[in-house]
Structures are given as C-alpha cells and as structure tokens.
Amino acid sequence: MPGLLKAAPLAFAIALLNSGNAGSADLVAEAAALPVAPDQDRWVFSIAPYVWGAGLQGDVGLFGRQPVDIDMSFGDIFDNLRFGGMVVGEAHNGTWGILADVVYVKIAVGETVERTVANVPVSLSGSVETSSLTGTVMGQYRVIAEPTATLDLMAGARVWSVNNDISLRLSTGELAAEFSGSDGATWVDPMVGIRGRIDLNPTWYLTGWGMVGGFGASSDVSWDALGAVGYQWTERTSIVGGYRGLGVDYENDGFVYDVIQSGPVLGAVFRF
C-alpha cells in the first residue's frame, strides 16, 4: 500500500478492537460500590452498565507482518464505532462473591485514495472490520469487612476473542486486483487481583481495583488498574466515575497485540 492508502485509519481499526479488548474492557470497579451486607448469608446482586472513553497506544501485527505502531485518542476510536456494549454483573453474600464482565465492540473503517500516475488513473480502496468479545469471571473472598471499608481478594480468568476482516482493491484503468483476508486469535489469561472501597460519608466513597495475569500461559502479561469516586444516589443506585488503565502483551502465530488502553470511565450500579 505504499503512498496510496494511509496506514493510520486501517491500523487504528485493527488496534482499537483488539483492545476492545479493549476493551480492553471491564469496569469491575462499579461492583465495588456495593455496601457490606449486614446478613452474611444474604446474597446481594448488582448490574452495572458503563462506558470507557479510552485511547490506545501500542503495537498490533497481522498475518505475520511487522507490527504497526498505534497511538489514537478516544475521539478517533468513537468516530469509527459501529456497536459497543459493556456491563458488569456481581453476586456477593458479604464473604464470598463472583463477578462477571462482558465487553463487545465492533468497528469499521474504509477509505479510497485516487491518484494519476503517468497519465493513468489509479484507485486504491481499503476497509477493515474488527469485532472483539472479552469476558472476565472472578471469584472473590472478602478479607476486610468493616462498616466503612471493604477489601476483596480475586482470582479467575479473562477470555479474549478478536477477529479482523481486511479488504483491499487496486484498480488502474481497466485492470484491477483484490485482496481480502481474516486474522485474529482467541486466548485465556489467568488473573488475580484485589478490589476495595472506603466510605467517606453516607453519600460519597472511593473505590478501586488492581489485577494482573497472563504469566506466560497465553499472554506474557496482562494488567488492569482503576481508581474511582462513587456517589450513592439511592439505597439501590449509585454513580461511579474515575480513570482506568489496561495493558496486555500477546503474540502467537503471526498475530501480535501489545497495547495499553487508558481513559476515563463512567457507570451506574443497580443493586437488588
């Protein structure tokens, strides 16, 4: 594609979704908004839809080619978003709990470049459609359960599934050449982490979590960290806003995904 098609839009589409894993990803901190249940045998459930305005930096490589350096803002990513859904669900009885997070993102980018070379019109069209599904399941054990503070230990796994469809068409007068192909990967990373909450007063609280995994089982390393402020709007509803960063380094059979995704997060937690 030298000189005919800008690499940035296509690379952007490829990298965004892999992060999408972006994402990467995964506002588990909303679940931290749940107050300690007074009855340790009583299960409390929550669901937390959220948005993550993350940018993306790193390297992404397909078809065994040299990885492309990516550096994109959330605005660039949002312009090419076709569908996105992010939600966290949790069940906790005050001592034991389980948390599940699902993120699905689909983007599409297309561009056509036309030039005249030696009086011959040349046209190059390219498009990339990328979809990603990321799922995280973590078991939890509460080691601190004070009236105004909690701390949970977590262990589980994160599944990444990424697919990229690429199409290129080069035409010069009556001649044309086309290329299309798909590349992607599915892998599972073991994960461990902690999650906590501190109540500042009956309305405001601080929450956050940290997670690390991979350990060479699939990715070389995977990490996730979040800090947020919560507002307890009603007994069963709260709003959480903060900042999150996520990184992963994965490579297998010519597919490379070594990126960091970071940006502000905003979500609502509904408890029942």
Side-chain angles (χ1 to χ4, degrees):
M1 300 185 291
L4 295 178
L5 181 62
K6 297 178 182 178
L10 296 183
F12 149 66
I14 296 169
L16 159 65
L17 183 75
N18 295 338
S19 71
N21 294 215
S24 243
D26 219 339
L27 184 57
V28 180
E30 269 83 328
L34 296 179
V36 179
D39 183 352
Q40 298 298 304
D41 294 328
R42 174 177 173 265
W43 284 90
V44 177
F45 303 90
S46 70
I47 186 168
Y50 64 93
V51 293
W52 185 16
L56 186 71
Q57 302 85 37
D59 298 317
V60 176
L62 298 177
F63 304 108
R65 301 293 185 179
Q66 183 71 22
V68 177
D69 181 59
I70 304 299
D71 188 357
M72 296 169 294
S73 69
F74 173 69
D76 295 331
I77 293 172
F78 185 78
D79 288 342
N80 294 276
L81 184 67
R82 295 297 178 264
F83 179 82
M86 308 172 187
V87 65
V88 172
E90 186 194 33
H92 210 292
N93 69 355
T95 300
W96 297 97
I98 185 169
L99 180 144
D101 173 68
V102 177
V103 178
Y104 178 77
V105 179
K106 181 177 183 178
I107 64 170
V109 174
E111 185 173 342
T112 298
V113 177
E114 296 181 347
R115 296 285 189 274
T116 299
V117 180
N119 296 321
V120 177
V122 178
S123 175
L124 180 61
S125 300
S127 66
V128 176
E129 183 175 282
T130 312
S131 60
S132 174
L133 176 66
T134 305
T136 305
V137 177
M138 302 293 286
Q140 303 169 97
Y141 177 72
R142 183 151 294 173
V143 294
I144 296 178
E146 299 296 331
T148 59
T150 63
L151 181 66
D152 293 340
L153 302 181
M154 302 189 298
R158 175 173 293 165
V159 179
W160 307 75
S161 181
V162 181
N163 186 66
N164 304 281
D165 295 320
I166 299 176
S167 177
L168 299 174
R169 188 176 192 276
L170 174 65
S171 60
T172 58
E174 298 181 354
L175 301 177
E178 296 185 356
F179 167 82
S180 62
S182 298
D183 194 13
T186 297
W187 70 95
V188 180
D189 285 331
M191 305 293 291
V192 296
I194 59 173
R195 180 184 65 124
R197 165 176 167 154
I198 298 176
D199 292 342
L200 302 177
N201 55 48
T203 302
W204 294 95
Y205 60 89
L206 301 177
T207 186
W209 66 289
M211 192 180 303
V212 65
F215 309 117
S218 290
S219 65
D220 289 337
V221 64
S222 177
W223 60 268
D224 205 337
L226 181 141
V229 177
Y231 177 77
Q232 198 70 43
W233 193 10
T234 68
E235 181 182 358
R236 297 183 177 276
T237 305
S238 61
I239 305 297
V240 178
Y243 196 89
R244 179 181 176 214
L246 177 150
V248 65
D249 183 358
Y250 175 82
E251 181 176 355
N252 184 54
D253 196 25
F255 177 80
V256 177
Y257 180 59
D258 181 6
V259 299
I260 295 176
Q261 187 177 8
S262 60
V265 293
L266 180 64
V269 184
F270 303 99
R271 184 173 67 97
F272 54 96

